[in-house]
C-alpha cells in the first residue's frame, strides 16, 4: 500500500449526536484524552460557569450554555486518524446537524442511561435515518443509577425503529458499576476508577475466572450470567453489513465521566466503521482513493475569531490529497483558486496545515465566495457533488432594520448570514412592497439572527411574526418561472422568491398546501429545496 493509500484508509470521520446533557462533550473529551490530543480532562469543556468548549465560539452559546454551531476536531488513536464532528445540542439547529452528517461517514449517539431516548435524540435520529448513516450507540452515565439495560434497548428499538446489538453489557450501575462484559471475546473488562482525570485502569478477566465473585460480587456475577443467557438467546445477530447501512446499531455501555468503557467503545467502533466513503456527483461515484482532490463545503461559519471578523468555510475532502500550495477549481464560482489559510482543529487549537487527505475536514478562509454545498476539485474537472438539501423552514417573520438609514448593512448582514445557511431569506417581488421575510426551522435561530446583526453589523432589527408554517419549493413542467396571475391561490398562501430567484410558496396550514396542490396541476410542490445551493 502506498503512503497515499494508507493515509486515506486509516481515516475515520464521524459525527457525535445527543440530547443536551447526555454527555456528548464529555465523551468527545475522553476520546481526545485517549488519543493523546489533550493531556488532561477539562480542556475541551471547563466547568459550567466558565464553559470554554471549543465549539462555544459564539457569545450566544456561552450565554445560553448551548452549542449552536458544530465544530470539528482531529486526533490520532492506534494508527487511526480520527475526525470528530460535533453537532449542535439544540433541536432548533437540526438543519446544521443534517449538513454535518453529510460530511460524516457514521454517527455516535450518546444516551443518558437514566433517561433513555429523549426528545432531541428522536429528532437527531430522524435526521441520521434520512441518510441511512451507520449509528453507534453509547449508553452513558452508568456510574449513576441507570434504567434496566434490556428496557433501554427495547426503548431504542421501539422509539427509533432501529435494531440494536449490544456489543458489551454493563455489570451493575451507580456506585456498583464494575465494568462491561465483552460479548465477542466473552471476557469481562473490569475498571478501577481514578477520578476520571486519566485513562481508567482496565483489567480483562475470563468469565470463568475463580476470582470473579471477589471482583464484582457474587450477586452481580449471578445477574450477569442470567443476563448473558437472555441476551444470547434473544438479541439480534451481529451483521456488519446491516450496521453499515444504518439498520442495526451496535450498543455500548459506559461512563464517559469516569472513563469506564470509553476505550473498548473506541476500539470496536474503529474496527466496525469504514475508511472514508465515496460521495455521489450526479451519475458518478467519487471514491476516496481517486487520484484527484475533491471536496464539498458543508458549513460556513463567520466570526469564529471576533478580532478578525473572519469567515471560515468547512469542507469535507471526498477524494485525494489536499496540498496547500496547489490550485483547486471552485466549480460553482467557475474559478481556479488557492485555498487560503487551510486549517484543522486539534482539541482547543487551530493549526494551519500543509496537507490533508480524503475523510479529513478542513476549514479555509472564505472571502465570501462559498455557499453550502459547493464543490472544489482538481483543475480540469468540473463535476458537482449532489446538493445538500435545505430544510423547509417552519417559522417566518417579516424583518427590517429599525433605522431605515442602515438598510445597506441590514441587507449585507442578512445575505451573509443566509449564505452561511443559518437562516433562509425570501423577497416579495409579487406584492407591492419589497419586504424581507426570514424563515427558520427553529425559533432560536431568530435570536441568533438578531444578536448577530446587532453585534456584527450594528443593526437593530424589527421583526414581525407571520402566520405561515410551511414552505414548498415550486417546480414547473417547463422549468420556466410561474406568473402569479396564472396561479389559483387561496387565503394564507404567499408567493415569494429566494435570493437565487427560485420561486416558493408559503402556507399557513397543511390544508392550504393540499388545496393549492389540487388546483394548480402545472406545479410540483417540493418539501426540500435547493435553497442556497446552485
Ligand atoms: P452534552 O455535551 O451532551 O450537553 O453533555 P456534557 O458532556 O456537557 O455533560 C453534561 C453533564 O453530565 C455534565 O455535568 C457532565 O459532567 C455530566 N456527565 C457526562 N458524562 C457523565 C458520566 O458518564 N457520568 C456522570 N455521572 N456524569 C456525566 P454538569 O454538572 O452539567 O457539568 P460540569 O459541572 O461537570 O461541567
Amino acid at each position: 500500500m502506498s503512503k497515499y493509500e494508507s493515509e486515506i484508509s486509516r481515516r475515520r470521520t464521524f459525527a457525535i449526536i445527543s440530547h443536551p446533557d447526555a454527555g456528548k462533550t464529555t465523551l468527545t473529551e475522553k476520546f481526545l484524552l485517549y488519543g493523546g490530543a489533550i493531556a488532561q480532562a477539562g480542556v475541551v469543556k471547563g466547568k459550567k460557569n466558565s464553559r470554554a468548549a471549543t465549539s462555544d465560539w459564539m457569545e450566544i452559546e456561552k450565554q445560553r450554555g448551548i452549542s449552536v454551531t458544530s465544530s470539528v476536531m482531529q486526533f490520532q488513536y492506534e494508527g487511526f486518524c480520527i475526525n470528530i464532528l460535533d453537532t449542535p445540542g439544540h433541536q432548533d439547529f437540526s438543519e446544521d446537524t443534517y449538513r454535518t452528517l453529510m460530511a460524516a461517514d457514521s454517527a455516535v449517539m450518546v444516551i443518558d442511561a437514566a433517561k433513555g431516548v429523549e426528545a432531541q435524540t428522536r429528532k437527531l435520529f430522524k435526521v441520521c435515518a434520512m441518510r441511512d448513516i451507520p449509528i453507534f450507540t453509547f449508553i452513558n452515565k452508568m456510574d449513576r443509577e441507570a434504567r434496566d439495560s434490556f428496557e433501554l434497548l427495547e426503548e431504542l428499538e421501539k422509539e427509533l425503529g432501529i435494531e440494536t446489538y449490544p456489543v458489551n453489557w454493563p455489570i451493575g450501575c451507580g456506585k456498583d458499576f464494575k465494568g462491561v462484559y465483552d460479548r465477542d471475546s466473552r471476557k469481562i473488562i473490569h475498571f478501577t476508577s481514578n477520578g476520571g482525570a486519566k485513562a481508567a485502569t482496565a483489567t480483562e478477566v475470563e468469565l470463568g475466572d475463580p476470582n470473579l465473585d471477589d471482583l464484582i460480587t457474587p450477586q452481580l456475577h449471578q445477574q450477569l450470567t442470567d443476563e448473558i443467557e437472555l441476551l444470547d438467546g434473544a438479541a439480534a445477530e451481529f451483521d456488519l453489513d446491516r450496521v453499515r447501512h444504518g439498520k442495526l446499531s451496535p450498543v455500548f455501555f459506559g461512563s464517559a465521566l469516569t472513563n469506564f468503557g470509553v476505550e473498548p467503545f473506541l476500539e470496536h467502533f474503529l474496527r466496525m466503521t469504514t475508511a472514508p466513503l465515496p460521495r455521489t456527483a450526479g451519475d458518478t461515484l467519487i471514491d476516496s482513493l481517486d487520484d484527484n482532490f475533491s471536496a464539498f463545503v458543508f458549513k460556513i461559519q463567520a466570526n469564529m475569531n471576533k478580532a478578525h471578523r473572519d469567515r471560515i468555510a468547512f469542507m469535507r475532502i471526498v477524494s485525494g490529497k489536499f496540498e496547500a500550495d496547489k490550485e483547486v477549481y471552485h466549480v460553482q464560482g467557475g474559478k481556479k483558486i488557492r485555498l487560503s489559510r487551510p486549517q484543522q482543529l486539534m482539541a482547543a487549537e487551530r493549526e494551519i496545515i500543509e496537507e490533508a487527505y480524503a475523510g479529513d475536514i478542513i476549514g479555509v478562509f472564505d472571502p465570501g465566495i462559498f455557499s453550502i454545498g459547493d464543490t472544489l476539485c482538481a483543475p480540469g474537472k468540473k463535476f458537482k457533488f449532489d446538493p445538500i438539501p435545505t430544510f423547509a423552514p417552519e417559522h417566518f417573520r417579516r424583518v427590517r432594520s429599525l433605522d431605515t438609514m442602515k438598510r445597506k448593512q441590514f441587507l449585507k448582514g442578512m445575505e451573509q448570514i443566509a449564505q452561511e445557511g443559518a437562516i433562509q431569506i425570501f423577497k416579495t417581488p409579487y406584492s407591492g412592497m419589497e419586504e424581507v421575510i426570514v424563515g427558520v426551522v427553529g425559533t432560536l435561530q431568530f435570536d441568533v439572527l438578531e444578536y448577530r446583526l446587532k453585534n456584527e453589523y450594528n443593526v437593530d432589527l424589527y421583526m414581525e411574526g407571520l402566520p405561515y408554517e410551511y414552505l414548498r419549493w415550486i417546480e414547473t413542467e417547463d422549468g420556466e418561472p410561474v406568473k402569479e396571475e396564472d396561479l389559483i391561490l387561496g387565503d394564507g398562501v404567499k408567493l415569494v422568491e429566494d435570493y437565487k430567484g427560485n420561486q416558493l410558496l408559503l402556507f399557513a396550514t397543511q390544508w392550504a398546501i393540499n388545496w393549492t396542490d389540487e388546483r394548480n396541476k402545472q406545479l410540483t410542490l417540493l418539501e426540500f429545496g435547493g435553497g442556497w445551493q446552485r
Side-chain angles (χ1 to χ4, degrees):
M1 206 192 278
S2 68
K3 175 174 185 279
Y4 172 74
E5 283 170 348
S6 75
E7 279 298 341
I8 293 178
S9 50
R10 76 188 188 90
R11 272 160 167 81
R12 296 288 182 276
T13 305
F14 69 91
I16 181 158
I17 61 171
S18 82
H19 185 91
D21 270 359
K24 183 165 60 83
T25 316
T26 312
L27 187 63
T28 306
E29 183 172 273
K30 295 306 161 81
F31 288 156
L32 298 177
L33 183 72
Y34 278 101
I38 53 172
Q40 65 186 68
V43 175
V44 176
K45 183 182 152 247
K47 286 279 159 215
K48 237 178 197 135
N49 303 339
S50 60
R51 244 182 121 94
T54 42
S55 55
D56 284 0
W57 277 302
M58 287 167 58
E59 281 297 315
I60 194 159
E61 295 185 326
K62 286 190 204 141
Q63 282 171 8
R64 289 175 182 254
I66 56 162
S67 172
V68 174
T69 48
S70 29
S71 62
V72 188
M73 277 165 272
Q74 188 183 66
F75 71 99
Q76 314 278 330
Y77 179 79
E78 288 194 349
F80 290 98
C81 174
I82 302 154
N83 295 295
I84 306 186
L85 292 145
D86 189 11
T87 56
H90 195 285
Q91 64 185 45
D92 282 11
F93 301 95
S94 47
E95 189 170 16
D96 201 22
T97 299
Y98 184 81
R99 292 191 204 116
T100 302
L101 286 169
M102 295 290 285
D105 296 321
S106 60
V108 171
M109 175 166 73
V110 188
I111 303 270
D112 184 326
K115 297 189 172 145
V117 173
E118 296 178 79
Q120 181 61 356
T121 325
R122 263 179 228 113
K123 292 222 163 163
L124 290 167
F125 180 86
K126 230 173 114 184
V127 176
C128 289
M130 285 160 83
R131 275 207 60 214
D132 290 334
I133 191 166
I135 299 174
F136 295 79
T137 307
F138 186 82
I139 300 191
N140 190 31
K141 304 200 186 181
M142 289 304 297
D143 61 305
R144 285 206 190 145
E145 280 315 307
R147 280 171 49 191
D148 176 69
S149 307
F150 284 105
E151 199 184 295
L152 283 168
L153 292 189
E154 203 181 306
E155 186 175 271
L156 282 171
E157 300 211 346
K158 230 161 104 192
E159 292 242 6
L160 306 180
I162 188 169
E163 279 182 59
T164 56
Y165 180 87
V167 175
N168 58 33
W169 196 253
I171 304 168
C173 71
K175 56 182 177 354
D176 292 330
F177 183 42
K178 306 284 183 199
V180 292
Y181 163 72
D182 187 283
R183 292 182 67 205
D184 184 34
S185 65
R186 302 190 77 81
K187 281 186 181 154
I188 281 158
I189 306 168
H190 177 259
F191 299 107
T192 318
S193 172
N194 56 19
K198 289 201 293 279
T201 321
T203 332
E204 277 196 10
V205 188
E206 297 286 342
L207 197 54
D209 192 295
N211 295 324
L212 200 55
D213 274 0
D214 295 340
L215 211 55
I216 66 171
T217 74
Q219 289 95 316
L220 285 176
H221 188 177
Q222 185 56 47
Q223 188 185 337
L224 179 68
T225 314
D226 295 347
E227 290 181 341
I228 293 172
E229 207 179 294
L230 252 176
L231 265 183
D232 290 347
E237 289 284 307
F238 184 72
D239 179 344
L240 193 56
D241 198 48
R242 288 175 60 72
V243 171
R244 292 191 172 161
H245 286 91
K247 304 289 177 230
L248 179 71
S249 177
V251 179
F252 302 79
F253 292 84
S255 155
L257 191 69
T258 56
N259 284 316
F260 283 21
V262 175
E263 206 165 17
F265 170 77
L266 206 49
E267 302 210 334
H268 280 287
F269 170 75
L270 291 171
R271 277 160 190 88
M272 286 183 198
T273 49
T274 48
L277 291 174
R279 293 290 189 277
T280 43
D283 301 334
T284 328
L285 206 57
I286 310 290
D287 190 75
S288 60
L289 288 171
D290 196 291
D291 287 342
N292 294 303
F293 164 81
S294 70
F296 65 89
V297 177
F298 66 95
K299 173 184 170 63
I300 294 173
Q301 186 162 351
N303 299 317
M304 279 167 55
N305 182 343
K306 231 180 158 191
H308 296 106
R309 287 185 68 88
D310 57 356
R311 194 161 118 151
I312 307 284
F314 287 93
M315 50 190 79
R316 148 93 189 214
I317 305 180
V318 177
S319 64
K321 180 181 177 186
F322 166 78
E323 286 164 283
D325 53 347
K326 285 221 172 120
E327 276 191 328
V328 298
Y329 184 66
H330 174 213
V331 181
Q332 280 80 356
K335 277 203 184 101
K336 272 198 246 170
I337 52 172
R338 266 198 185 85
L339 297 176
S340 165
R341 286 199 264 136
Q343 49 195 275
Q344 254 167 3
L345 284 164
M346 275 287 259
E349 301 292 323
R350 274 206 260 174
E351 59 173 43
I352 301 289
I353 50 151
E354 291 301 319
E355 56 175 47
Y357 292 87
D360 284 345
I361 309 295
I362 56 171
V364 301
F365 175 71
D366 173 19
I369 58 172
F370 295 119
S371 288
I372 307 274
D374 280 6
T375 300
L376 292 114
C377 54
K381 304 268 168 188
K382 282 201 171 152
F383 60 84
K384 281 184 195 169
F385 285 110
D386 290 359
I388 299 177
T390 306
F391 280 27
E394 291 167 23
H395 307 273
F396 298 87
R397 284 184 189 172
R398 184 180 288 132
V399 182
R400 62 178 165 80
S401 162
L402 262 184
D403 181 349
T404 46
M405 302 296 283
K406 290 192 178 160
R407 186 159 167 88
K408 226 171 120 186
Q409 291 101 299
F410 162 74
L411 284 178
K412 184 171 167 221
M414 296 294 289
E415 279 206 41
Q416 288 197 342
I417 295 171
Q419 240 175 343
E420 289 169 32
I423 52 165
Q424 291 179 48
I425 50 175
F426 310 101
K427 42 187 183 179
T428 55
Y430 310 101
S431 46
M433 205 171 53
E434 272 274 322
E435 298 171 334
V436 180
I437 293 179
V438 174
V440 297
V441 179
T443 50
L444 210 51
Q445 289 173 269
F446 285 131
D447 297 5
V448 173
L449 172 68
E450 194 169 19
Y451 182 90
R452 289 190 54 188
L453 271 182
K454 171 98 190 123
N455 279 270
E456 295 165 28
Y457 301 91
N458 199 20
V459 172
D460 285 304
L461 278 190
Y462 175 78
M463 298 204 259
E464 186 188 339
L466 291 171
Y468 309 109
E469 286 183 19
Y470 303 90
L471 172 153
R472 292 291 181 269
W473 278 267
I474 294 179
E475 208 173 62
T476 53
E477 278 160 12
D478 55 6
E480 290 296 315
V482 292
K483 292 197 185 76
E484 195 179 26
E485 56 269 27
D486 294 340
L487 299 179
I488 306 167
L489 301 178
D491 283 345
V493 185
K494 193 176 180 72
L495 180 65
V496 296
E497 259 182 27
D498 67 18
Y499 274 63
K500 293 254 182 322
N502 300 309
Q503 292 177 308
L504 315 106
L505 286 170
L506 305 184
F507 301 93
T509 58
Q510 178 67 45
W511 184 85
I513 302 178
N514 301 342
W515 192 93
T516 311
D517 200 19
E518 274 166 28
R519 283 163 184 76
N520 297 274
K521 291 289 179 207
Q522 74 279 29
L523 305 183
T524 312
L525 303 179
L526 303 169
E527 207 169 326
F528 292 97
W532 275 95
Q533 288 95 45
R534 282 162 286 186

